[in-house]
Amino acid sequence: MATKELENVEIEAEEKEEKQELDFSNLEAKLGELKAQAYMDAERACRMKADATPDITYSSSFRARLAARALGVDYKEIQNLPIPVFTELAGRVLAFLLQSSAEKLMNGEG
């Protein structure tokens, strides 16, 4: 009986490891495919959880929700990532969100 329980624990651990191996290679392309409604849905979900970040773009929860939507995974999968992976992902989403504004400034348009 104990051996069977140990096998179940090992299987669950393997499944968790597999979930952490999400493919982020096309994150920016997937973010570019999202419509404004995805942005508003992620913002609404954060605000309903009492996220008081003045500019929602700087909320890590918002960026995680947006990444989850773009990658087609559950938000909980993003929440379960190791911190170094999560911060890289959140940083890439932030860079994507700020990219057009930065380009305008660099070109003297803003």
Side-chain angles (χ1 to χ4, degrees):
M1 198 75 152
T3 304
K4 186 131 182 128
E5 289 176 31
L6 181 59
E7 287 176 14
N8 288 340
V9 169
E10 289 175 352
I11 290 170
E12 288 175 10
E14 288 174 7
E15 288 174 355
K16 285 182 182 178
E17 283 182 42
E18 287 176 15
K19 287 182 181 178
Q20 291 181 355
E21 295 178 14
L22 297 174
D23 179 17
F24 305 131
S25 61
N26 61 351
L27 176 62
E28 288 79 6
K30 293 288 188 180
L31 286 166
E33 294 173 3
L34 294 178
K35 304 295 181 208
Q37 189 63 51
Y39 187 102
M40 293 184 290
D41 290 346
E43 180 178 17
R44 184 179 325 107
C46 289
R47 297 300 187 201
M48 291 186 73
K49 293 284 187 182
D51 186 333
T53 307
D55 183 343
I56 199 67
T57 303
Y58 294 101
S59 164
S60 62
S61 179
F62 169 75
R63 288 180 271 151
R65 288 181 185 281
L66 211 52
R69 180 82 174 261
L71 297 169
V73 299
D74 189 72
Y75 174 61
K76 292 206 181 283
E77 286 188 53
I78 303 297
Q79 287 180 306
N80 288 324
L81 292 171
I83 289 175
V85 176
F86 176 80
T87 55
E88 178 187 347
L89 177 71
R92 285 176 60 187
V93 173
L94 179 60
F96 175 85
L97 293 172
L98 299 178
Q99 180 180 359
S100 64
S101 295
E103 286 174 354
K104 286 180 181 178
L105 285 173
M106 298 292 286
N107 292 331
E109 299 172 22

